[in-house]
Amino acid sequence: MSVNGSRVADAFTDGRTALWALVGLFLFLLEAGAVLNFVVSLTIDGLLAIPGVDAVGFLTAVENAVREIPTLLSRETIPNQGYFDGSGYEGTFLGLSPAMAWAFRATLVYLYAFAAFGWGVWGYRIYRREYRAADWTPRDDVFDRFRGHKWGIFGLVIVFMFVTMAVFAPALGPTTVDQNMRNSYGHEIDYWDSDSGSVETILVGDANLDSLSQGNDQNVEPWTYDDYGRFHPFGTMQDGSDLFTFLVVGSRISLVIGVLSVALSASIAATLALTSAYYKGRVDLSMVLVSDAVMAMPQLLLLIMLTTVLRESWINEVYSGGFLLALIFAFTGWTYMWRSIRGPALQISEREWIDAARSFGQRPTTIMRKHMLPYVTGYLLIYGSMTLGGAIISIAGLSYLGLGVAPPTPEWGRAVNLGQDYVRTGSWHISLIPGILITLVVTGFNALGDGIRDAIDPQSDSAGGETAGAGGGA
Amino acid sequence: MSDTLLEVENLRTVFHTDKETIHAVDGVSFDVQRGETVGLVGESGSGKSVTARSVLGLVEEPGVIEEGSIEFCGDELVGGNWDEHRGDIAIVFQDPMNSLNPVYTVGNQIKEALRIHQGLRGQAATDAAIELLEDVGIPDAARRVSEYPHQFSGGMRQRAVIAIALACDPDLLVCDEPTTALDVTIQAQILELLDELQREEDLGVLFITHDMGVIEETTDRVNVMYAGEFVESAPVEELFDDPKHPYTKGLLASIPGRTAGGDRLPTIEGEVPTSTSEPTECRFAPRCPHAFDACDEVHPERIAVGDPDADHETACLLYDDEFEESPPEDGVVADGGETA
Ligand code: SF4
C-alpha cells in the first residue's frame, strides 16, 4: 500500500504525469456539464420507472442545476439555429450560416472525442514507461498486434465514431428531439420570409408540415435547407422532422440497449462457463443442457411474446422499453457466448496454477475470479463486440417490425420502416441512410471483434475454442 | 504425536470415461514419516501423478477415488475432508512456468497463500514473501518480489513455486517431477534446496520422478510404480543393490553409467499399458524378458524378498515358490534395446 501511496506522490512531482493530469482535467472541465447531465438524466429515467419511488422534485432540481453548468460543445455555446434577417444570420455562431455553424460544432465534437481518446492512449504510455514494474507483459504484444491489424483498426474507427455519436447525441443534431419531434407545437422559430421580405415566426410543427419528404413532389433532400431556413444534413423524414437528429439520438438507444444486453449476457456466460470449467463433469453437463434448452427457444418469437405480455408493466416503461429488450436479449443471448468461452475456460482450468491454488486451499470463487477470469476476458471482448453488432441489428429489426423501442423515441430500424414507402422516390434517404449506418456499425463491431481475436490469439485463424481439455489421466 | 504423516492404504483412483474405466491407481499402499523422503518412480502413464493428485484431493471428474484410505496425521481424508488440512500438504509441480500464473507478480502469488494460511496482509505479507524468497535462495528478493514469472529464469521460477508451497507452512511436501523441466545443473541446485528445506523444517516429502538417478540421490524409500500398481518397494540402498523385479532392473539398467561396457544403453521396449479392467495377469508380462507361462494367468501378489530386515517387497511370480521358473541370476539385466 505504501508503495502505491508514494507512487501517487511521485506522479505530481514528475512533470510529464502532472501535465497529463492537467490536460485530463481541462478536457473534463470543457464537458463537465454534459457528462453530469448524461448521468443525471439516465438516473432519472431509471428511477422514474421504478414504482413507489417518488423523487421527482429532487431530481428535477438536480437536473436543472446540472443544466446550468456551461459546456463547450453545447447548442448554447455554438448555436446553429438562427435565421436570416435580410443581410446576415442572427442567432448563429459568429453569424455563420446554420449549415456551417452546425458543421463546425459537429467537427469540434469529433475533435474533442479524438483528443479524449488520444489522452487515454498517452496516459497508458506514461504508465507503461514510468510506473509499471515490468517493462514487458504479454499484453503489450496484444496491443502491438492490434495496431498492425488494418481490418480491426477500421472496426475501431467505426465503433469510435458510433460511440461518439451516441455519447454526444444532444450536441450533434442540428435540432433537438423535443423541439423537432416530441413537442413540435410547443416551440416556435423565426425565419426569413422572402416573399414578404421580413422575419416571420412559425410553430415548429407547422414548419415541419411544409418540409415533408414524401416522394418527388414533396422532398427535402440531404444537405439542403428547407423553406424555413433550417439546415438538414440528412434531409427530413416523411413527417418533416430532421432525419439526422433522429438518427443521432437513435444511436444512443441502440448503444445503450446493446451494451446493457451484452454486458448482462457476458456476465451470465462468464459465471457459468467458469463454474462449469472449474467443476467439470456433472455441473458442466447440466449447464450444457440448460443452455441447449434456452437455445432451442426461438428468440424472435420469445421477444415478440414477452414484449406483448409485458407491454403494460412498469418494466416496459424503462427507457422506452429498451431495458426490457436488453433483458430479453441477455437472457436469450448468453448461450452463444457461453458456448464460445467454455472451451477456453476448460483449457485454463487444466493449468497447474489452478491446482496449486486449490492445493493451498484458495476458495473456488476466488480461483475462478483471480486465476481463470483474466484468461477469458479476451474472449469475452471478442464475442461481446460481435454480439453487440448482432444486438444492434436485432433491435433495428424489431423496431422495423413496430415492436421493440416504443415511438416516439427514435430508433434506426423505425426510420427504415417509415421510409420504406419512398425508397423508389426522391425521398430515398429516409430508409437508405439508416440502413447504411446499421450495416456500417454492425460491420464495424464485427471487424473490431476480429481484430481483437487476432491480436489476442494469433494462431486462431478461424473461430477456435475447440481445444477443450479432456480431463484427468496420469 | 505419531511420526507418521501420511498413510495410504489400498488406494484406487479410477477415471470413468465414456468408453471405458481406467484404473489409473490400482491398489497402492505406502506411508511417509516426518523427515522422510519417499520416492515414487515409474514411466509416464504409470499413475504416479494421479497418486500425487489423489493425496492432495485434486482428482477431478471424471476421476474418482473409488477405494482405499488416505490418512493424514491420523485423519481420514478420503470423502472430502481435505479442506481441514489444506496447506498442510503442499505440492510442487513439474513445469514452473505452468504452475505460476503469468498475470500476477510472484509476490502476489506468495501473498495469496500467506493470507490464507498465516492471515498476513499488506506490508507484513510483503515482508514475509521477501523472506520466503530469500529462504529459497533468490537473490535480490526485495526487488524480485514485484516481478512477473516471465522475468524469472526456469530455476528461479521453481524456487518461487517452492516458496509458495512453503508459505502454507506444510508438513508434507509433494514434489511432482520438480526438476524434469530444468537444466541438469539447475536440477542439482533445486534438489539441494529441497533437501536443505526438508531438514530444516522436518518435512515429509513424497518425491515423484521417472529419473532413477534423482531417486538415488534424494529418497529414503522407493516405490516402483507400473500400470497403477507398486511392483517393488524397498529402502533406496536395498533397491539399488538388490533389485528384484524385472521392471526395476530394466529401469536401473537404463541409467547412464550403471551398465558396464556396451555403447548403447539398454531400454525397456514398449510402453505402459492402460489398465481398464481387474488384472488377471502380470501387467508387465508383454514387456518382461523373463515372462513365463504363469505370468499370463496369475496376477502376482506382493511378497517379501531380499534382506529380511529391509522391508523389501515385490510383485513378481519369479519369487513365488508356487511357480516353477527360478529367479534370474543377479546382475543379469533385461536388454531388449540391443536386439531392436
Ligand atoms: S510376474 Fe512374470 S511377467 Fe511379471 S515381472 Fe515377474 S516374470 Fe515378468
Side-chain angles (χ1 to χ4, degrees):
Chain A
M1 284 298 113
S2 66
V3 179
N4 288 340
S6 69
R7 273 199 195 147
V8 172
D10 283 351
F12 289 99
T13 47
D14 172 56
R16 216 173 345 200
T17 316
L19 182 65
W20 176 79
L22 270 178
V23 171
L25 191 67
F26 174 69
L27 282 174
F28 175 75
L29 285 180
L30 284 181
E31 277 299 287
V35 173
L36 289 174
N37 212 341
F38 178 69
V39 174
V40 169
S41 61
L42 207 67
T43 333
I44 290 175
D45 276 358
L47 283 182
L48 282 184
I50 300 170
V53 180
D54 188 26
V56 182
F58 169 70
L59 285 174
T60 36
V62 174
E63 198 175 16
N64 290 332
V66 164
R67 213 164 264 158
E68 293 303 307
I69 303 173
T71 42
L72 169 67
L73 303 167
S74 66
R75 337 181 55 81
E76 289 79 35
T77 323
I78 310 174
N80 70 309
Q81 284 170 298
Y83 53 91
F84 189 67
D85 66 358
S87 54
Y89 284 101
E90 273 302 311
T92 61
F93 182 65
L94 299 177
L96 290 167
S97 69
M100 281 302 124
W102 168 81
F104 180 69
R105 191 170 68 221
T107 316
L108 222 53
V109 163
Y110 273 93
L111 281 179
Y112 178 86
F114 201 73
F117 184 76
W119 177 77
V121 173
W122 182 29
Y124 178 72
R125 286 251 172 97
I126 293 181
Y127 161 74
R128 186 159 144 182
R129 215 175 20 234
E130 318 263 332
Y131 299 101
R132 196 170 63 188
D135 33 331
W136 180 89
T137 68
R139 202 150 288 165
D140 292 359
D141 272 3
V142 171
F143 281 116
D144 285 347
R145 275 194 296 265
F146 187 82
R147 271 220 304 259
H149 196 283
K150 292 210 183 61
W151 181 233
I153 293 287
F154 164 77
L156 183 68
V157 170
I158 299 285
V159 168
F160 174 76
M161 308 262 289
F162 173 67
V163 172
T164 308
M165 186 192 248
V167 170
F168 291 95
L172 270 177
T175 174
T176 64
V177 172
D178 188 59
Q179 196 230 38
N180 196 243
M181 296 160 211
R182 255 187 233 276
N183 191 14
S184 56
Y185 285 97
H187 292 85
E188 329 187 289
I189 48 167
D190 295 329
Y191 71 101
W192 172 255
D193 188 339
S194 48
D195 292 340
S196 63
S198 60
V199 175
E200 308 274 340
T201 301
I202 189 172
L203 286 171
V204 175
D206 289 333
N208 282 354
L209 285 180
D210 280 337
S211 340
L212 308 179
S213 286
Q214 295 192 344
N216 296 328
D217 41 346
Q218 250 191 329
N219 191 23
V220 178
E221 47 180 76
W223 214 259
T224 50
Y225 287 91
D226 62 16
D227 298 343
Y228 301 96
R230 299 183 297 177
F231 177 67
H232 300 289
F234 283 176
T236 61
M237 300 185 63
Q238 96 295 348
D239 64 352
S241 55
D242 182 59
L243 180 60
F244 190 87
T245 309
F246 186 94
L247 292 183
V248 166
V249 176
S251 73
R252 187 179 262 196
I253 198 158
S254 298
L255 184 70
V256 170
I257 300 176
V259 167
L260 197 65
S261 71
V262 168
L264 274 173
S265 51
S267 29
I268 301 177
T271 316
L272 297 186
L274 292 181
T275 316
S276 64
Y278 183 85
Y279 290 106
K280 304 193 174 72
R282 259 161 291 179
V283 177
D284 187 33
L285 185 70
S286 62
M287 284 187 188
V288 171
L289 290 179
V290 170
S291 89
D292 278 354
V294 174
M295 260 184 184
M297 293 188 232
Q299 192 186 20
L300 189 64
L301 222 57
L302 197 73
L303 272 167
I304 295 174
M305 208 175 74
L306 283 177
T307 34
T308 319
V309 170
L310 295 173
R311 178 157 289 164
E312 300 299 319
S313 67
W314 64 269
I315 202 168
N316 199 29
E317 315 266 293
V318 189
Y319 217 62
S320 312
F323 184 64
L324 178 63
L325 278 185
L327 285 186
I328 302 175
F329 281 131
F331 176 71
T332 51
W334 64 265
T335 49
Y336 300 93
M337 230 191 265
W338 177 82
R339 292 229 144 179
S340 319
I341 60 172
R342 176 176 162 262
L346 277 168
Q347 238 175 334
I348 286 307
S349 74
E350 298 291 316
R351 304 308 273 272
E352 278 174 346
W353 64 75
I354 309 281
D355 287 332
R358 278 169 67 192
S359 79
F360 62 67
Q362 185 58 279
R363 286 198 317 274
T365 45
T366 314
I367 294 181
M368 285 182 229
R369 188 171 40 79
K370 188 174 170 186
H371 293 294
M372 291 166 77
L373 187 61
Y375 294 89
V376 298
T377 42
Y379 294 90
L380 284 176
L381 267 181
I382 300 166
Y383 295 110
S385 156
M386 293 182 172
T387 324
L388 197 55
I392 287 172
I393 225 169
S394 308
I395 301 161
L398 281 173
S399 307
Y400 174 79
L401 294 174
L403 301 156
V405 180
T409 305
E411 214 295 318
W412 290 6
R414 185 136 25 77
V416 177
N417 181 18
L418 293 173
Q420 69 177 343
D421 292 342
Y422 313 106
V423 176
R424 300 183 55 189
T425 70
S427 303
W428 48 268
H429 57 267
I430 310 175
S431 278
L432 193 67
I433 292 178
I436 291 174
L437 281 180
I438 293 171
T439 317
L440 208 60
V441 167
V442 174
T443 313
F445 274 110
N446 283 331
L448 180 64
D450 277 344
I452 301 176
R453 185 191 59 210
D454 292 345
I456 287 176
D457 188 1
Q459 277 96 31
S460 81
D461 290 325
S462 55
E466 286 304 311
T467 33
Chain B
M1 187 165 139
S2 147
D3 269 355
T4 304
L5 278 176
L6 181 75
E7 199 167 356
V8 176
E9 270 297 319
N10 194 28
L11 175 71
R12 276 179 213 279
T13 305
V14 301
F15 288 84
H16 296 286
T17 66
D18 290 344
K19 278 181 261 133
E20 57 203 0
T21 300
I22 295 163
H23 298 251
V25 179
D26 209 2
V28 305
S29 308
F30 61 95
D31 50 42
V32 182
Q33 311 290 323
R34 196 173 283 281
E36 185 190 34
T37 303
V38 173
L40 269 188
V41 67
E43 289 163 276
S44 48
S46 59
K48 49 195 197 316
S49 283
V50 179
T51 311
R53 300 178 68 87
S54 304
V55 167
L56 279 139
L58 293 178
V59 176
E60 292 181 324
E61 286 201 59
V64 56
I65 296 178
E66 215 169 47
E67 214 186 303
S69 95
I70 300 171
E71 278 184 16
F72 183 78
C73 295
D75 292 343
E76 178 60 53
L77 298 180
V78 176
N81 301 327
W82 272 275
D83 286 343
E84 283 161 39
H85 287 287
R86 281 287 174 226
D88 295 344
I89 312 175
I91 184 160
V92 176
F93 288 106
Q94 171 175 351
D95 183 356
M97 195 63 234
N98 221 337
S99 43
L100 289 172
N101 190 336
V103 302
Y104 298 106
T105 61
V106 170
N108 186 323
Q109 299 182 55
I110 301 177
K111 284 189 265 180
E112 190 181 345
L114 280 171
R115 198 175 78 214
I116 295 172
H117 291 286
Q118 304 184 17
L120 295 176
R121 281 160 194 277
Q123 194 58 43
T126 310
D127 292 344
I130 294 173
E131 207 169 298
L132 278 168
L133 285 180
E134 276 165 359
D135 287 351
V136 296
I138 291 185
D140 201 5
R143 185 173 59 83
R144 308 219 73 169
V145 73
S146 56
E147 290 190 341
Y148 288 87
H150 68 83
Q151 292 168 289
F152 278 50
S153 67
M156 287 296 158
R157 266 180 231 146
Q158 196 61 299
R159 286 174 191 268
V161 172
I162 295 171
I164 295 177
L166 292 180
C168 310
D169 198 11
D171 296 317
L172 176 68
L173 192 62
V174 178
C175 302
D176 190 357
E177 306 248 13
T179 56
T180 310
L182 304 175
D183 292 346
V184 183
T185 45
I186 311 288
Q187 268 189 26
Q189 292 170 13
I190 296 288
L191 290 178
E192 204 173 296
L193 170 70
L194 285 170
D195 195 47
E196 212 173 278
L197 291 171
Q198 175 185 25
R199 269 184 282 109
E200 273 170 25
E201 316 258 333
D202 203 20
L203 297 171
V205 175
L206 179 61
F207 200 99
I208 292 163
T209 180
H210 64 275
D211 187 337
M212 271 300 198
V214 172
I215 285 284
E216 186 174 22
E217 269 173 55
T218 46
T219 58
D220 300 317
R221 223 191 129 69
V222 192
N223 299 294
V224 182
M225 201 161 182
Y226 188 82
E229 298 170 303
F230 283 177
V231 291
E232 185 160 9
S233 317
V236 68
E237 301 86 17
E238 168 86 6
L239 189 91
F240 278 77
D241 291 346
D242 187 17
K244 293 296 185 191
H245 198 280
Y247 181 60
T248 315
K249 290 179 186 179
L251 284 180
L252 288 175
S254 52
I255 305 177
R258 273 187 82 92
T259 345
D263 43 4
R264 290 185 64 179
L265 279 178
T267 53
I268 311 170
E269 288 292 295
E271 46 186 69
V272 186
T274 312
S275 336
T276 53
S277 55
E278 290 291 310
T280 55
E281 74 291 306
C282 173
R283 280 177 175 153
F284 188 53
R287 301 168 72 188
C288 180
H290 304 291
F292 57 104
D293 303 345
C295 300
D296 285 332
E297 278 138 37
V298 184
H299 182 68
E301 295 293 321
R302 286 156 62 101
I303 41 177
V305 285
D307 184 350
D309 301 329
D311 192 13
H312 186 169
E313 286 183 347
T314 189
C316 172
L317 298 179
L318 290 174
Y319 303 96
D320 198 325
D321 298 337
E322 274 180 47
F323 301 95
E324 286 181 0
E325 204 89 357
S326 57
E329 290 289 304
D330 279 349
V332 178
V333 285
D335 58 352
E338 305 209 331
T339 57

